[in-house]
Amino acid sequence: MSVTTPQTRAQQTESGLLSTRPVWLVGILATLAGAVVTEAFALVARAAGVPMEAASPGATEAAEIPVGGFFGGVVFWSVAGIVLAVVLARWAEQPARTFTVTTVALTALSLAGPAVAPHTATSTQIVLAVSHVVAAAVVVPLLARRLSHVRR
């Protein structure tokens, strides 16, 4: 007979919740959490006076980033991450490691966008870049943890 302490019960519950849910569902939940945290970060920056106007390459002037824009951006780009996670869960030898390495590289690459955004205040560029890291810091570990429970 094994003795179960409250700590081991909590660890088993956490591990069990992640390991028993479909990858796509964990992805959706991680995306929603990441979107909420990132939007909250943007709202704090907005309240601190950071101008929320940015321009795409080739644009002649910056456009307003609407409230909810960060939330929508995280949801939009996380769909690709969820698809990647599902594919890796099915076919990758080490899905969690492959997912983490790929998404960290893609997050680093995504920082180029804010860095070269024309007609955009430096403070806004910084908030945009940090928001990419904030979203990844929430979404990637949750999906990677789920992928670490994939058994062949």
Side-chain angles (χ1 to χ4, degrees):
M1 183 165 139
S2 65
V3 176
T4 306
T5 66
Q7 182 180 7
T8 52
R9 242 190 326 267
Q11 290 170 341
Q12 290 169 346
T13 301
E14 178 183 322
S15 176
L17 286 174
L18 289 172
S19 65
T20 60
R21 302 290 181 244
V23 172
W24 63 266
L25 179 59
V26 173
I28 289 171
L29 296 174
T31 295
L32 291 174
V36 167
V37 169
T38 305
E39 185 65 33
F41 167 74
L43 290 171
V44 168
R46 191 181 299 266
V50 175
M52 288 299 159
E53 295 180 344
S56 300
T60 58
E61 63 183 42
E64 175 80 20
I65 301 170
V67 171
F70 286 79
F71 185 96
V74 172
V75 170
F76 180 84
W77 288 108
S78 291
V79 169
I82 294 169
V83 170
L84 175 64
V86 169
V87 167
L88 292 175
R90 175 70 174 98
W91 287 293
E93 185 75 24
Q94 296 178 325
R97 177 170 164 60
T98 304
F99 179 79
T100 302
V101 168
T102 302
T103 53
V104 167
L106 290 171
T107 301
L109 185 61
S110 78
L111 300 179
V116 300
H119 312 292
T120 304
T122 302
S123 59
T124 306
Q125 289 175 319
I126 292 168
V127 167
L128 290 169
V130 172
S131 72
H132 289 206
V133 175
V134 168
V138 174
V139 177
V140 172
L142 291 171
L143 267 168
R145 178 174 276 180
R146 171 57 185 91
L147 290 171
S148 72
H149 294 289
V150 171
R151 300 289 173 237
R152 302 263 172 249

